[in-house]
Amino acid sequence: MKKIRVLLLFVLLGAFILVACSSPAEEPTPTPEPQPEVVEEPTEEPMEEPTEAPMEEPTEESMEEPTEEPMEEPTEEPTAEPEPEMRTDNLEGEVITFYHFGDLSGPLAAITAPLIHGFEDAVAAINEQGGIRGAQIELKFADTGGSVDEAVAAYERFTSEDDNILVMFTYGSGDGEALRSRFVEDKIPNLAAGLSSIAFYAPDSGYTFGYAPIYPDQFGYFLDWLTANWADVKPASAGDEIKLAYISWPTAYGQAALTPESRAYAESLGVEIVAEEIIDVSPTADTTTAILNAQAAGANVIYTNTLAFGPASILNGLGALGLRDEFFVGANNWAMDLSLYAFLSDPALAVGLTAPFPYLWWTDADHPGIQYAEQIFAANERPAAEHGVGYLLTLAGVDIAVKAIELAIDNVGYDNLTGEAVHDALIQLGEYEPLQGVMRVDYSNDNRSPHQSQLRQIQGGPDAFVVLQDWTPTPDLRPTENFANK
């Protein structure tokens, strides 16, 4: 036991010496005390600091700022700005211009003057009554001297001065024919006293509107009545067949009743046109040759598309030759007028003259439209010589224009008013009776002229225009090729 203790002592001593003599071992870096794990101090994350999420800081958005929604800002809603209210009334201070031109210094001056005076008086009366919804009507007139070239020049002057003409008024067939396509091109409605079928219905027309039936329709209407009543009205020397001489002026107006359509219509009725004669456009025209040629051709009817001194020169010629009773004489509406009597050598020569009459007459004194016309005529102290068809029909024509413009204003508003709108309104009027029924018009269904008339005959002195046939339809003899079927 003692030996074991000694042995252990030597072993320990050897080990000590070995340790002391060996190179100094690195000082055992004391095993670090278990510090709390080297996790970084949780500055609230190992993720980025939660500035309220990994979305960008809501600088009031990561989406677009909800300026009340990602729709456009409701600037009172995406509805269009309310349009200004359409002006249809209370037009005080506004001016509507009526343009017209005609012969005041040429061969037809004496006939045109009453139309122009009627125009002026009608407009003055409307203006006194407040105008068109408060707007006043202004007139602009040009004298053409009876020249178609001057009419075209007047038109060009007017259109160069005003680029929004609402309506024009023309008096001559030649003027209407020459300008028909211009009215369409410039969209200016033309109210016309010249009743040419070409002016109204040619393929390049459509903006010209008439006061009365076109001349071929009037000719056909006259022939309808004549053939139905020939046995009762034929001259004593006439046979059963109607043989007609057409004696007229060499102008667009003078020749306007004879067209392919009216010739064919006459033939269909059994009427033979045996002579076509020309007379001068003059109060002193010598009609002797024309009348004798008609007689030689066997004519028993004379028809003329003239007015005032035109039919007067034929009747005077018949009287001078002693042939008045040998012919039944007919004419268009303008011929049966007081202006005829200014040129007759004897008023009795006019008795029996028969013509289409598509309006009332001054002698229809109980009619309110005639009474209105009489008041205007008297108020303006017009001479008795102007108490005729021109003055009366111009009053009615202004009535048509005013009615159409008022309808156009209701349709599009005053500030959008154009000639095209007035054109459309004239058609939209449909059956309309100017001056409460003095005339009858209907421009709907591609019509540009009325298709109703009376037939009257002179039976006595001036103003004795007696109704032989009351309002009835006329034939429709518009050109076969026309603006509606071009």
Side-chain angles (χ1 to χ4, degrees):
M1 182 69 150
K2 192 177 191 176
K3 283 181 185 177
I4 291 169
R5 282 189 196 142
V6 172
L7 184 61
L8 281 172
L9 182 62
F10 276 114
V11 170
L12 285 169
L13 182 63
F16 180 80
I17 291 167
L18 278 173
V19 171
C21 292
S22 72
S23 56
E26 287 171 343
E27 194 172 349
T29 49
T31 47
E33 276 180 25
Q35 294 172 354
E37 214 176 297
V38 180
V39 227
E40 282 152 324
E41 189 174 1
T43 52
E44 303 233 12
E45 103 186 282
M47 310 169 285
E48 281 133 81
E49 186 175 17
T51 52
E52 305 244 4
M55 305 175 282
E56 283 130 299
E57 185 174 351
T59 53
E60 312 260 346
E61 96 187 292
S62 70
M63 310 168 282
E64 275 138 359
E65 186 175 29
T67 52
E68 313 242 18
E69 185 67 43
M71 302 181 296
E72 283 135 76
E73 197 172 38
T75 55
E76 301 263 0
E77 226 214 339
T79 54
E81 233 177 77
E83 291 183 14
E85 193 174 332
M86 196 165 74
R87 289 201 299 159
T88 59
D89 216 334
N90 302 317
L91 301 176
E92 286 76 10
E94 303 291 354
V95 173
I96 293 172
T97 305
F98 286 177
Y99 294 87
H100 62 139
F101 42 86
D103 180 7
L104 264 189
S105 59
L108 299 178
I111 297 148
T112 308
L115 281 90
I116 293 168
H117 294 158
F119 200 90
E120 293 169 350
D121 296 349
V123 166
I126 299 237
N127 282 339
E128 284 174 17
Q129 295 160 22
I132 299 176
R133 305 284 175 83
Q136 292 289 286
I137 304 170
E138 181 181 274
L139 290 178
K140 288 198 176 178
F141 174 77
D143 176 18
T144 65
S147 162
V148 171
D149 289 342
E150 285 300 316
V152 173
Y155 177 86
E156 290 176 343
R157 186 164 64 254
F158 287 152
T159 52
S160 70
E161 294 169 355
D162 186 345
D163 62 1
N164 188 30
I165 293 176
L166 302 180
V167 64
M168 278 192 182
F169 300 78
T170 58
Y171 303 114
S173 292
D175 300 349
E177 290 181 7
L179 290 166
R180 65 184 187 271
S181 62
R182 298 287 298 275
F183 290 127
V184 174
E185 181 184 337
D186 297 328
K187 297 185 176 179
I188 299 172
N190 168 37
L191 285 169
L195 307 171
S196 157
S197 61
I198 295 171
F200 292 175
Y201 291 109
D204 56 352
S205 188
Y207 261 68
T208 295
F209 301 80
Y211 296 157
I214 55 175
Y215 299 126
D217 290 0
Q218 293 193 37
F219 183 46
Y221 186 76
F222 168 78
L223 293 180
D224 280 344
W225 179 88
L226 186 65
T227 53
N229 294 277
W230 182 242
D232 298 324
V233 302
K234 65 182 182 179
S237 60
D240 293 336
E241 294 181 347
I242 299 174
K243 297 180 180 294
L244 185 142
Y246 187 90
I247 302 177
S248 203
W249 293 335
T251 60
Y253 165 54
Q255 297 301 303
L258 279 187
T259 64
E261 292 76 18
S262 66
R263 290 176 186 276
Y265 193 73
E267 186 178 353
S268 74
L269 294 174
V271 175
E272 184 182 1
I273 300 173
V274 297
E276 296 178 36
E277 298 292 326
I278 297 299
I279 58 174
D280 292 338
V281 186
S282 166
T284 59
D286 184 355
T287 58
T288 303
T289 301
I291 293 169
L292 291 176
N293 286 345
Q295 183 187 41
N300 45 35
V301 175
I302 291 174
Y303 189 89
T304 184
N305 213 66
T306 59
L307 51 80
F309 55 77
S313 65
I314 295 169
L315 292 169
N316 289 339
L318 288 170
L321 292 168
L323 297 176
R324 178 64 186 90
D325 294 337
E326 299 295 310
F327 296 91
F328 189 93
V329 181
N332 70 59
N333 66 291
W334 301 109
M336 191 174 291
D337 183 41
L338 289 187
S339 60
L340 168 70
Y341 289 90
F343 302 98
L344 281 174
S345 59
D346 180 356
L349 292 170
V351 173
L353 177 68
T354 303
F357 211 84
Y359 34 76
L360 300 184
W361 187 242
W362 298 97
T363 51
D364 298 309
D366 293 337
H367 189 275
I370 296 296
Q371 292 169 357
Y372 173 75
E374 288 283 20
Q375 289 169 9
I376 293 177
F377 188 86
N380 289 278
E381 301 179 344
R382 295 300 181 186
E386 294 190 3
H387 199 247
V389 63
Y391 190 95
L392 183 60
L393 259 63
T394 306
L395 293 182
V398 170
D399 182 331
I400 295 170
V402 169
K403 188 72 174 179
I405 290 172
E406 287 182 335
L407 180 55
I409 289 172
D410 287 337
N411 288 342
V412 303
Y414 176 78
D415 297 301
N416 297 313
L417 197 56
T418 62
E420 184 177 16
V422 176
H423 161 276
D424 295 346
L426 282 163
I427 296 168
Q428 188 184 342
L429 278 176
E431 294 181 8
Y432 180 61
E433 298 189 355
L435 296 185
Q436 303 178 66
V438 168
M439 278 179 10
R440 301 180 180 187
V441 300
D442 182 356
Y443 303 127
S444 63
N445 300 316
D446 295 324
N447 291 311
R448 292 298 179 269
S449 58
H451 291 285
Q452 288 190 68
S453 185
Q454 299 174 319
L455 190 89
R456 296 202 186 199
Q457 186 177 69
I458 297 177
Q459 296 181 0
D463 270 4
F465 303 158
V466 177
V467 176
L468 295 183
Q469 179 171 284
D470 212 345
W471 293 98
T472 44
T474 68
D476 187 345
L477 301 179
R478 71 184 72 188
T480 304
E481 291 185 20
N482 56 72
F483 72 84
N485 63 19
K486 61 183 177 182

